Amino acid sequence: MGLLTFTEEVKIPVPWGYVCGKLWGSKENQPIVAIHGWLDNAGTFDHLLPFITDRVSVLCIDLPGHGLSSHYPKVSNESFLPSINQNGIISGSIFILKNSVAPIAYNTDAKFADFQGDTILKFLRYDAIPPNPGPHGSLKELQDICIDAHKGSLTEESAKTLLIRGASRVRDDVYKFNRDLRLMSGFIHPPSFELIQVYATRIKCNYLNIRAEFFTDERLEKYDLILDIIRKSARNFKFVQETGPHHVHMNEPQRIAVTINQFLFSCVNDEDEEYF
């Protein structure tokens, strides 16, 4: 048994341009799809995957408007539909999530209406701005912006890694962020908490949830409620509480890799042999 190595850059044509990504491992395997969190990119897995077993292959994608992937067309909010909003690794039989069990949800219609109204106004304001007007600066300046925005979650090395796909050179030592500014408006259509609970009952695969020290008490209560539902429905359920911030998978990848590898090997059985 060995560990994963980077295979190639991937560029998938879509109607509005391309979805870009990175393939790790053998092309002979059906890859697990790795999806980064909001405003990150496929590079978020660069530190982690070299410590993951090569019995799997992993395709990391830049979601539209992130990293090297094309932005959605003007006046399109498709990129802000609720989906996996943290870091996820998914296949037909395996689901691994870090720091998330559900998108943002609101307990009352009034709170949702206020949130959605503000979000739509933000989206329209960002949509009217020319692509990537700034900020511009040196890589070090953009790196400092990333570190400050993530409030201590990113180390200097992790921020540098994200900027490999997250920034482009304009001239000399001047760079700009690649991300679609409209992403800053957030999710326009978050589901109700009731719908999230229904979705949780539909999870039948092998399921690992890794939670870092990231949440307020109110969100933890909802988090645990959803986990209890998934625990009853999933084929093989595991929950791990880790110390460290949201980007602990980048800052201390070997520690997180131990948990993921143990879980992957626990999932090996006759039914899932095709994934390993």
Side-chain angles (χ1 to χ4, degrees):
M1 183 196 76
L3 298 174
L4 281 176
T5 55
F6 171 67
T7 302
E8 65 181 16
E9 286 284 337
V10 175
K11 198 171 184 181
I12 305 167
V14 291
W16 61 91
Y18 294 92
V19 169
C20 297
K22 303 180 69 172
L23 178 64
W24 292 74
S26 173
K27 295 181 182 180
E28 302 302 315
N29 297 333
Q30 177 69 34
I32 294 173
V33 178
I35 303 175
H36 61 80
W38 184 49
L39 299 183
D40 280 1
N41 56 65
T44 195
F45 300 102
D46 279 6
H47 296 181
L48 174 66
L49 292 181
F51 299 104
I52 299 298
T53 173
D54 65 1
R55 295 184 72 177
V56 299
S57 294
V58 180
L59 174 62
C60 309
I61 64 169
D62 294 326
L63 290 171
H66 296 75
L68 302 178
S69 289
S70 303
H71 298 186
Y72 278 113
K74 297 283 283 183
V75 194
S76 168
N77 65 9
E78 295 176 63
S79 55
F80 315 107
L81 296 177
S83 57
I84 298 167
N85 66 342
Q86 302 293 338
N87 300 299
I89 301 178
I90 311 163
S91 76
S93 68
I94 299 168
F95 204 140
I96 300 172
L97 276 177
K98 188 187 69 65
N99 271 2
S100 183
V101 289
I104 297 170
Y106 291 86
N107 289 329
T108 68
D109 289 343
K111 287 184 178 180
F112 171 73
D114 290 342
F115 165 83
Q116 191 173 48
D118 290 343
T119 300
I120 290 172
L121 288 175
K122 287 179 184 177
F123 176 85
L124 292 174
R125 284 198 293 268
Y126 284 124
D127 192 60
I129 298 174
N132 289 315
H136 296 82
S138 67
L139 274 179
K140 178 63 167 62
E141 288 170 328
L142 267 59
Q143 172 189 305
D144 290 343
I145 290 172
C146 286
I147 292 172
D148 182 64
H150 284 92
K151 304 184 188 314
S153 176
L154 282 173
T155 63
E156 182 175 324
E157 182 182 2
S158 296
K160 285 179 180 177
T161 298
L162 287 176
L163 286 177
I164 293 172
R165 304 179 76 84
S168 297
R169 182 175 174 272
V170 179
R171 59 184 183 278
D172 299 329
D173 190 33
V174 178
Y175 293 79
K176 64 180 176 67
F177 288 111
N178 292 335
R179 64 192 179 213
D180 188 339
L181 275 178
R182 293 172 298 174
L183 292 165
M184 304 300 293
S185 64
F187 298 108
I188 292 181
H189 302 293
S192 68
F193 190 58
E194 289 73 20
L195 180 58
I196 292 171
Q197 293 177 72
V198 173
Y199 282 151
T201 67
R202 303 298 196 266
I203 295 177
K204 307 297 182 183
C205 60
N206 300 299
Y207 182 95
L208 166 64
N209 189 283
I210 302 172
R211 183 166 71 196
E213 298 168 341
F214 182 65
F215 293 95
T216 62
D217 291 340
E218 181 182 358
R219 289 194 67 187
L220 279 176
E221 183 179 348
K222 291 182 178 179
Y223 197 123
D224 290 337
L225 193 155
I226 298 299
L227 280 182
D228 285 341
I229 295 173
I230 298 172
R231 183 179 284 107
K232 297 171 184 175
S233 62
R235 180 193 309 169
N236 176 18
F237 175 91
K238 185 174 183 179
F239 169 73
V240 177
Q241 177 69 60
E242 285 285 356
T243 58
H246 173 60
H247 286 91
V248 64
H249 65 288
M250 295 191 75
N251 303 338
E252 300 179 71
Q254 289 173 280
R255 180 154 61 93
I256 303 302
V258 169
T259 297
I260 292 176
N261 283 329
Q262 288 174 346
F263 180 74
L264 288 172
F265 285 116
S266 76
C267 296
V268 176
N269 54 47
D270 292 340
E271 184 176 353
D272 294 331
E273 191 64 33
E274 63 183 290
Y275 291 99
F276 292 89

